[in-house]
């Protein structure tokens, strides 16, 4: 894929001196083959405590029913659906990185796709838990699937909630297969280095990978096929989720802009979560040479683009409400600013639109602490966006006598906070037992897109001096490059 000679002006995707295939393997597998450090244990203990809170609050809901939530006759959907849509959105970046960027031959995806795909799977698991919880009778979940049963019950395909079941299950299945397929060559590498019981486990999980030419040909073919299947899912899954609202007659929901608006918002929040995780992961696991400032800035640019699209969608919503002349629609959007939930609307617009625009500045995009804080701010804003769309639109309906406020109970908050703990528990276990970077794919670009490959081009001395100087200047932003080596040259 990456055997061609790359232009000197392109920034390196792998930094460091004398990087070899063996060193890539050692660097990526260090957290898998060695005992975890103190930072991992601290994070894991906190995450497990959150997961235990989730388990307790979900069990409480199953035992006592969803009456333990803060729902009322007016606000029948609240934190549960807010959390569901939020988690589904977070899971979107993994498919986009792994599938669409693969089809477009974007090699910078090679260092971040593995963790992004894992994040997708864990986020969808958290989202699916909300569906089961909201059913009230979780043991009846099987009847949401079109399976023959003794009660001769059949699903209502006119219901958007059934569409959710099909969309989420399909998305999860394809994402899981795609992720695991990419893991096979790396699992075989761990197998060949392991001994005893670990060797048997990784041998079973690698499905007899031999590394032959025929195996690699089939591997790349299957990856391209799965990428082609996954690409429509990036657009379809959140489109279907948006139809939960758009197909209703509720003011604030009944609009045709929801599908593209939801998709852009999902990619927006998904990349923000990838950024949140990888900025910490690269530092704790010592992977700065593989997840470089180029990757960080590229993801920040996508966050800026999708955040701007979301901002345009907000303006379009207001224009449609104004231009429609519908008093109910107009009041719904006015209520976001002057109603009792005005603070949620301010958080939504402030975090998603105003704060994101800071990324127009290179100094912000390339500042790791600020980028990390902004990635968290984005997902806070996206949670408030879903809260505003759902709760603020519902709490004041057509009949003023039925207006009501929603107040979350400890169960509502515990399920949401616990789902975050569950997510991080799964992610921390993932980076402990599986390689967080796709070693096989990173090795593909070592000879063409690494810092040392660029040095070899420069050593030949037949390059344009202006291009060489441009390349050297671009390295200033990298925190994993020894700038003094180029100053001496």
């Amino acid at each position: 894929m990456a055997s061609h000679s790359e232009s000197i002006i392109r920034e390196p995707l792998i930094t460091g001196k004398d990087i070899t295939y063996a060193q890539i393997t050692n660097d990526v597998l260090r957290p898998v083959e060695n005992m975890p450090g103190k930072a991992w244990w601290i994070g894991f203990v906190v995450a497990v405590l959150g997961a235990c809170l989730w388990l307790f609050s979900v069990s409480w809901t199953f035992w006592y029913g969803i009456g333990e939530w803060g729902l009322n006759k007016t606000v029948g959907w609240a934190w549960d659906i807010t959390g569901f849509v939020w988690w589904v959105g977070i899971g979107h970046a993994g498919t986009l990185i792994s599938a669409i960027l693969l089809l477009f031959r974007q090699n910078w995806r090679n260092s971040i796709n593995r963790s992004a795909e894992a994040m997708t799977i864990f986020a969808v698991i958290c989202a699916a838990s909300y569906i089961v919880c909201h059913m009230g009778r979780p043991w009846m979940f099987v009847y949401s699937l079109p399976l023959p049963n003794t009660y001769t019950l059949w699903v209502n395909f006119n219901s958007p909630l059934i569409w959710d079941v099909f969309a989420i299950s399909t998305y999860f299945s394809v994402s899981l297969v795609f992720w695991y397929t990419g893991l096979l060559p790396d699992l075989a590498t761990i197998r060949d280095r392991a001994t005893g019981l670990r060797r048997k486990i990784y041998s079973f999980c690698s499905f007899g990978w031999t590394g032959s030419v025929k195996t690699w040909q089939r591997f790349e073919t299957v990856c391209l096929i799965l990428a082609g299947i996954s690409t429509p899912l990036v657009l379809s899954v959140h489109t279907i989720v948006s139809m939960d609202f758009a197909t209703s007659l509720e003011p604030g929901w009944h609009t045709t802009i929801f599908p593209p608006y939801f998709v852009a918002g999902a990619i927006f929040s998904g990349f923000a979560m990838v950024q949140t995780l990888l900025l910490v992961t690269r530092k704790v696991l010592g992977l700065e040479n593989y997840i470089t400032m180029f990757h960080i800035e590229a993801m920040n640019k996508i966050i800026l683009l999708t955040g701007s699209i979301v901002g345009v969608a907000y303006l379009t919503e207001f224009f449609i409400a104004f231009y429609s002349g519908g008093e109910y629609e107009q009041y719904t959007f006015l209520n976001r600013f002057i109603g009792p939930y005005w603070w949620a609307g301010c958080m939504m617009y402030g975090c998603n639109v105003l704060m994101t625009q800071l990324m127009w500045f290179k100094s912000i995009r390339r500042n790791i602490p600020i980028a990390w804080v902004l990635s968290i701010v984005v997902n806070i804003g996206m949670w408030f966006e879903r809260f505003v769309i759902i709760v603020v639109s519902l709490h004041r309906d057509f009949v003023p006598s039925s207006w009501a406020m929603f107040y979350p109970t400890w169960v509502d908050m515990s399920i949401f906070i616990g789902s975050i703990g569950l997510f991080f528990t799964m992610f921390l276990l993932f980076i402990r037992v599986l390689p967080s970077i796709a070693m096989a794919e990173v090795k593909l670009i070592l000879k063409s897109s690494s810092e040392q490959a660029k040095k070899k081009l420069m050593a030949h001395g037949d390059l344009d001096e202006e291009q060489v100087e441009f390349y050297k200047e671009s390295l200033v932003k990298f925190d994993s490059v020894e700038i003094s080596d180029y100053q001496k040259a």
Side-chain angles (χ1 to χ4, degrees):
M1 287 186 186
S3 59
H4 63 280
S5 179
E6 191 174 85
S7 171
I8 187 64
I9 64 173
R10 293 182 68 96
E11 298 172 10
L13 300 179
I14 302 174
T15 59
K17 300 177 181 178
D18 304 322
I19 302 293
T20 63
Y21 294 135
Q23 185 176 341
I24 292 175
T25 301
N26 292 333
D27 290 344
V28 175
L29 292 186
R30 188 179 300 113
V32 177
E33 296 177 333
N34 299 308
M35 291 298 292
K38 183 178 179 181
W40 186 90
W41 278 112
I42 293 173
F44 184 68
V45 168
V46 174
V48 168
L49 290 175
C52 291
L53 177 64
W54 174 84
L55 182 62
F56 175 77
S57 54
V58 168
S59 300
W60 186 281
T61 300
F62 287 170
W63 186 259
Y64 291 102
I66 59 175
E68 293 296 304
W69 298 351
L71 305 178
N72 52 59
K73 63 183 180 63
T74 304
V75 185
W77 280 3
W79 274 44
D80 50 317
I81 305 300
T82 300
F84 164 72
V85 179
W86 189 71
W87 279 118
V88 172
I90 284 175
H92 259 58
T95 307
L96 187 144
I97 291 171
S98 60
I100 295 180
L101 295 184
L102 172 63
L103 295 178
F104 281 97
R105 303 296 186 182
Q106 296 296 305
N107 289 329
W108 64 272
R109 64 174 281 282
N110 293 11
S111 296
I112 62 175
N113 65 328
R114 175 69 52 73
S115 295
E117 290 168 8
M119 184 199 75
T120 291
I121 294 169
F122 304 148
V124 172
I125 291 174
C126 292
S129 69
Y130 275 100
I131 296 179
V132 178
C133 286
H134 192 264
M135 294 185 71
R137 298 180 177 87
W139 53 89
M140 306 291 280
F141 173 74
V142 66
Y143 295 116
S144 65
L145 303 174
L147 300 174
N149 56 80
T150 56
Y151 295 104
T152 64
L153 297 176
W154 200 245
V155 297
N156 179 13
F157 284 104
N158 292 324
S159 170
L161 299 181
I162 294 299
W163 307 347
D164 280 346
V165 173
F166 281 85
I168 299 302
S169 59
T170 303
Y171 187 54
F172 177 78
S173 302
V174 174
S175 297
L176 183 63
V177 172
F178 199 2
W179 173 69
Y180 197 84
T181 300
L183 271 170
L184 290 177
D186 291 351
L187 289 171
T189 300
I190 303 175
R191 173 201 64 194
D192 296 339
R193 295 162 59 99
T195 57
L197 180 61
R198 290 183 75 251
R199 184 181 181 89
K200 292 181 180 179
I201 294 173
Y202 284 109
S203 178
F204 175 79
C205 295
S206 61
F207 291 169
W209 177 276
T210 61
S212 65
V213 174
K214 193 68 175 178
T215 303
W216 278 107
Q217 288 176 341
R218 289 171 176 168
F219 171 78
E220 293 193 4
T221 301
V222 170
C223 285
L224 287 174
I225 292 173
L226 289 172
I229 295 173
S230 301
T231 298
L233 291 177
V234 176
L235 304 176
S236 65
V237 172
H238 227 56
T239 295
I240 292 174
V241 171
S242 74
M243 289 180 182
D244 291 353
F245 311 100
T247 53
S248 73
L249 297 178
E250 187 73 29
W253 293 3
H254 188 62
T255 174
T256 55
I257 198 178
F258 264 25
Y261 165 27
F262 269 53
V263 170
I267 298 172
F268 179 48
S269 61
F271 266 93
M273 183 59 81
V274 172
Q275 194 80 295
T276 301
L277 295 174
L278 290 188
L279 287 179
V280 176
T281 301
R282 74 187 288 270
K283 187 66 177 179
V284 174
L285 302 185
L287 300 174
E288 291 92 342
N289 285 333
Y290 309 106
I291 304 174
T292 68
M293 287 302 300
F294 177 85
H295 298 91
I296 295 169
E297 188 173 13
M299 287 190 285
N300 281 336
K301 288 177 180 178
I302 294 178
I303 292 172
L304 172 61
L305 172 63
T306 50
S308 300
I309 294 173
V310 169
V312 172
Y314 292 161
L315 294 175
T316 305
E317 279 190 311
F318 278 101
F319 173 76
I320 291 174
F322 164 76
Y323 193 70
S324 67
E327 57 182 343
Y328 299 108
E329 190 78 15
Q330 291 174 353
Y331 178 77
T332 297
F333 285 93
L334 188 63
N335 185 48
R336 294 182 180 181
F337 285 103
I338 64 172
Y341 288 112
W342 62 269
W343 49 271
C346 290
M347 289 291 293
M348 164 185 168
Y349 297 116
C351 294
N352 294 341
V353 180
L354 298 181
M355 297 297 290
T356 307
Q357 300 309 306
L358 294 174
M359 290 187 179
W360 282 106
F361 301 99
K362 285 185 179 180
S363 58
I364 299 293
R365 293 199 304 269
R366 297 174 178 179
N367 188 302
I368 292 179
I370 294 178
W372 187 73
V373 170
L374 285 177
S375 67
I376 296 175
V377 167
V378 165
N379 268 315
I380 291 173
M382 288 306 294
W383 187 89
F384 274 101
E385 178 198 279
R386 279 62 180 256
F387 181 83
V388 168
I389 290 174
I390 296 166
V391 175
V392 179
S393 297
L394 286 175
H395 86 112
R396 288 185 172 177
D397 58 11
F398 294 100
V399 184
S401 62
S402 65
W403 288 3
M405 294 290 290
F406 168 77
Y407 299 102
T409 65
W410 69 269
V411 182
D412 286 303
M413 293 184 283
S414 297
I415 291 178
F416 176 67
I417 295 172
S419 68
I420 297 176
L422 176 65
F423 174 82
F424 280 103
T425 298
M426 292 187 287
F427 186 81
L428 288 169
L429 288 174
F430 155 70
I431 63 174
R432 178 71 186 88
V433 300
L434 295 172
S436 56
I437 290 179
M439 294 183 292
E441 297 189 46
V442 170
K443 291 175 182 177
L444 286 174
I445 60 176
L446 178 63
K447 299 298 185 181
S448 61
S449 303
S450 63
E451 182 187 358
Q452 62 191 35
K454 305 288 186 178
K455 284 185 176 180
K456 288 182 179 180
L457 285 176
M458 293 166 60
H460 290 306
D462 56 353
L463 298 174
D464 188 328
E465 286 298 324
E466 291 186 3
Q467 292 185 350
V468 173
E469 288 302 317
F470 179 86
Y471 170 72
K472 291 180 180 180
E473 291 175 2
S474 70
L475 296 178
V476 174
K477 70 178 182 183
F478 285 79
D479 60 348
S480 54
V481 172
E482 293 290 341
I483 300 298
S484 57
D485 294 345
Y486 296 90
Q487 292 173 343
K488 295 175 183 178

